[in-house]
Amino acid sequence: MKPNEVSIYELEKVEGGNSVLLCGLPDVGLVGIISVSHIIKELGMKEVGYIDSELFPPLVVFHQGEPTYPIRIFRKDNLLAVFSETALPPESLYPLTRLIVNWSKEKGLSMVVSLGGIGVPNRIDIDEPKVYGASSSQKLRDMILQKGVSLMEEGFLVGPYGLIAKHSKSLDVPNLILLAESFPNYPDPGAAASALEALKKFVPISVDIKSLKDRSDEIRMNARELMRKTAENMQRMGKSQEYELPLMYV
Amino acid sequence: MYRRCDKLFPADYFDIPARLRGYMDGCLEPLTEIQETDNELIVRVDMPCVRSKDEITVNLTEETVSIEAKMEKAVQYERWGTFQRGVRFFKYSKTFTLPTKIDPERAKARFVKNVLELRLPKKGRVFKIEIQ
C-alpha cells in the first residue's frame, strides 16, 4: 500500500450486477452508521471485503477476539454495504469517497445510497424526523419527489456524502442521498429510523425498524465515543458551512 | 530521572484522557453542546438511560454549570476494551465553564428525549437605542 492511497480488498470476488451500495460513514448524528449497522445485523449480511489506508487512524477493531479492519464491505443478495467503525480524518475523505465511487462504477452498481443526517437545532421538539433526498441524477430526483420525500433543493453538504455526490456526478454514477433531521452531535437512532423508512421506498429491504427504536438507549451509549471523535472531525472539515446559504442566484 | 522522563514523554503520553477519569467512580461524562444566541446560551446534554427529570441535579453559578444524573440501572460494557470492561456506570457527571456570564435566576431547563436542555440568559442589560 502506497502512502496516501486508499485501497479496497475483496475477500471474495464481488459481482456488481444490479446491486445497490449503502454507505454508512461517520457524519451528523451517526445516522448512516446506525442505520447501516442495523441493516447488516438484521439481514445477516456477510463480510466480503474491507478498505484500508495509511490515512486512517492506526488501529484495528477486535470482534469476538479477531482483529478486523474498521471499514468493511458486506453483501447479501443484491445489497452491498460499506460501513465504518472509526471516525475518519478529513484528509482521508477525498481518496476514500473517490475509491468508493470508482469501485461502484467499475462493478456496474445500479445505485450508491448515502444514508445520513442533517443537523437541526430544534431536534428535541421533533418526534418524527423529516427526511430530505438529493441526487446526482435527474431520474433519481424525479423519483425522490414521486416517493413523497422532500427534495433538498439548495444548500451545502459537507463531508463524506458531499464528496460521494461530487464524484458520482463526475463519473455518472447514480447516487441517492437520504438525510434525516438529526441531533448534530449526539448519536440519533430516531433519525436513523426515519432514514430507514425513507430507504424502504427506494430499495426493497425487509428490516424491522421498531427494534432499532427499542434499542435507542443502548445504541446511544455504545456510540458515544465514535460520536465524540466524529464531532471533532466535523468541526475540522467545516461542517458548520451547512448552515450557510449558497450565494448563487441571490 | 523524573525530569528526564518528563522531557522524553509529553505530560499526556500515558495519561488517561480527562473525560475517562470518572470511569473509576462509575461516572460517565455526557456528550454536551453549547449554542450561543444574542440573548442566551443553550446547553444540550445527551443522557440516555436517565428515566426522568427527577434523577437530574443542575447547579449553576454565573460562570459554571454542574450536572449530575442517575441512570435507571448501572450500565456495564461487557464487550468493550480492556480499560472499560468490568466498570459499572451508574451516573453522569460534568462540570464546565461557560463562555460568558449568565443570570442563573432566570435559567430554564427541560428534559425531553433523554436530552437535558438548559436555556441560560446572558447577564447584562440590553439597551435599545433610537436610530437618528
Side-chain angles (χ1 to χ4, degrees), chain A residues 11-32:
Chain A
L11 298 172
E12 59 184 63
K13 177 86 177 145
V14 176
E15 300 293 345
N18 207 27
S19 299
V20 169
L21 175 67
L22 305 178
C23 297
L25 300 174
D27 201 24
V28 173
L30 298 182
V31 174

Side-chain angles (χ1 to χ4, degrees), chain B residues 79-101:
Chain B
R79 294 170 55 202
W80 214 4
T82 45
F83 178 65
Q84 303 92 336
R85 192 192 294 261
V87 182
R88 287 162 65 84
F89 303 103
F90 52 88
K91 66 176 179 179
Y92 291 105
S93 178
K94 185 172 174 101
T95 298
F96 53 95
T97 305
L98 295 166
T100 183
K101 281 192 177 184

Side-chain angles (χ1 to χ4, degrees), chain A residues 126-146:
Chain A
I126 297 172
D127 290 329
E128 295 292 332
K130 189 173 170 180
V131 177
Y132 293 87
S135 178
S136 55
S137 91
Q138 184 60 51
K139 196 177 152 195
L140 279 172
R141 283 197 292 275
D142 292 342
M143 204 191 278
I144 287 168
L145 292 172
Q146 281 163 19

Side-chain angles (χ1 to χ4, degrees), chain A residues 190-208:
Chain A
S194 289
L196 283 180
E197 293 282 8
L199 176 69
K200 281 179 160 187
K201 296 177 180 177
F202 299 88
V203 181
I205 47 168
S206 174
V207 173
D208 174 31

Side-chain angles (χ1 to χ4, degrees), chain A residues 6-54:
Chain A
V6 182
S7 307
I8 287 186
Y9 300 88
E10 294 179 16
L11 298 172
E12 59 184 63
K13 177 86 177 145
V14 176
E15 300 293 345
N18 207 27
S19 299
V20 169
L21 175 67
L22 305 178
C23 297
L25 300 174
D27 201 24
V28 173
L30 298 182
V31 174
I33 302 267
I34 296 168
S35 48
V36 171
S37 116
H38 185 69
I39 293 171
I40 291 170
K41 206 183 285 179
E42 281 272 308
L43 299 183
M45 295 177 81
K46 184 187 171 197
E47 187 181 332
V48 293
Y50 60 88
I51 301 178
D52 199 18
S53 169
E54 289 180 10

Side-chain angles (χ1 to χ4, degrees), chain B residues 8-96:
Chain B
L8 282 172
F9 302 107
D12 60 352
Y13 189 84
F14 296 114
D15 207 6
I16 298 165
R19 66 174 187 278
L20 302 184
R21 284 180 203 136
Y23 279 14
M24 298 310 171
D25 308 321
C27 285
L28 272 180
E29 183 186 324
L31 296 174
T32 308
E33 64 179 15
I34 301 180
Q35 183 189 341
E36 186 167 357
T37 70
D38 289 346
N39 307 317
E40 62 180 1
L41 297 177
I42 305 169
V43 177
R44 295 193 190 93
V45 189
D46 190 37
M47 294 200 285
C49 298
V50 173
R51 270 307 139 239
S52 80
K53 62 178 184 170
D54 302 331
E55 307 296 335
I56 306 169
T57 308
V58 181
N59 289 312
L60 298 177
T61 70
E62 288 184 353
E63 290 165 324
T64 63
V65 175
S66 288
I67 299 161
E68 250 190 50
K70 243 194 297 177
M71 292 176 187
E72 186 187 26
K73 56 180 182 183
V75 173
Q76 190 166 359
Y77 293 97
E78 295 290 348
R79 294 170 55 202
W80 214 4
T82 45
F83 178 65
Q84 303 92 336
R85 192 192 294 261
V87 182
R88 287 162 65 84
F89 303 103
F90 52 88
K91 66 176 179 179
Y92 291 105
S93 178
K94 185 172 174 101
T95 298
F96 53 95

Side-chain angles (χ1 to χ4, degrees), chain A residues 62-64 121-127 183-187 216-218 220-225 227-229 232, chain B residues 19-20 23 28-33 35 44-49 51 71 75 77 80 92 110 112-115 117:
Chain A
F62 282 84
H63 285 299
Q64 290 159 343
N122 63 333
R123 172 67 180 96
I124 197 169
D125 296 311
I126 297 172
D127 290 329
F183 285 114
N185 296 313
Y186 307 146
S216 178
D217 271 0
E218 180 195 335
R220 284 165 74 176
M221 292 296 288
N222 288 342
R224 282 162 36 90
E225 291 303 319
M227 186 71 251
R228 203 187 295 271
K229 289 194 176 71
E232 286 168 14
Chain B
R19 66 174 187 278
L20 302 184
Y23 279 14
L28 272 180
E29 183 186 324
L31 296 174
T32 308
E33 64 179 15
Q35 183 189 341
R44 295 193 190 93
V45 189
D46 190 37
M47 294 200 285
C49 298
R51 270 307 139 239
M71 292 176 187
V75 173
Y77 293 97
W80 214 4
Y92 291 105
R110 61 177 177 151
V112 183
K113 298 185 178 74
N114 287 88
V115 173
E117 183 182 79

